[in-house]
């Protein structure tokens, strides 16, 4: 049996990127400004993290204009949704103590 940590996705493991993908998979698309404000980060920090997720093909970024105002929308791709689901499941397995190493160590300590 493999430890669940091996199922963690390094691309979305960083707290900000995990927060971004969690927000994006929960809706059809999200506005850049809304996401920035919800995550309480700067434009430049959000842009950098979005670029990483876009390079991994976990999100798509749509830039458009409404009147003279530029708007940026972020959408999760099927790959991004799958990666988020797998990563979250791995975190749950780790948190629940499903890892075989933890289970045997607890049993050994309580037998004495």
């Amino acid at each position: 049996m493999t430890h669940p940590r091996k199922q963690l996705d390094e691309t979305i493991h960083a707290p900000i990127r995990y927060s971004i993908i969690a927000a994006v998979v929960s809706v059809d698309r999200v506005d850049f400004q809304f996401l920035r404000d919800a995550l309480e980060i700067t434009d430049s920090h959000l842009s950098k993290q979005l670029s990483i997720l876009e390079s991994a093909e976990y999100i798509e970024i749509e830039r458009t204009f409404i009147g003279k105002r530029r708007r940026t929308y972020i959408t999760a791709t099927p790959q991004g949704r799958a990666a988020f689901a797998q990563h979250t499941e791995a975190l749950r397995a780790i948190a629940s103590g499903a890892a075989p190493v933890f289970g045997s160590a607890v049993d050994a300590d309580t037998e004495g």
Side-chain angles (χ1 to χ4, degrees):
M1 187 166 168
T2 304
H3 192 280
R5 80 177 185 290
K6 294 182 180 180
Q7 299 299 313
L8 293 174
D9 185 313
E10 291 299 320
T11 302
I12 60 175
H13 189 63
I16 292 295
R17 289 193 297 270
Y18 187 74
S19 297
I20 291 168
I21 199 75
V24 175
V25 300
S26 67
V27 294
D28 289 335
R29 70 179 187 172
V30 65
D31 178 73
F32 181 94
Q33 292 175 343
F34 174 83
L35 192 57
R36 178 202 58 208
D37 294 345
L39 298 177
E40 300 175 348
I41 59 176
T42 64
D43 286 357
S44 62
H45 194 192
L46 180 56
S47 291
K48 180 180 178 182
Q49 301 308 316
L50 290 174
S51 293
I52 292 168
L53 292 169
E54 185 178 36
S55 294
E57 298 182 352
Y58 287 174
I59 62 166
E60 292 177 347
I61 299 174
E62 174 190 359
R63 292 172 179 88
T64 188
F65 284 90
I66 297 178
K68 293 184 179 185
R69 293 177 47 124
R70 183 176 179 177
R71 302 299 290 199
T72 302
Y73 297 101
I74 300 96
T75 305
T77 64
Q79 301 95 305
R81 291 177 186 280
F84 175 75
Q86 180 178 346
H87 188 83
T88 301
E89 189 57 38
L91 289 173
R92 285 187 182 121
I94 293 167
S96 71
V101 174
F102 296 139
S104 62
V106 170
D107 292 342
D109 287 345
T110 58
E111 289 179 7

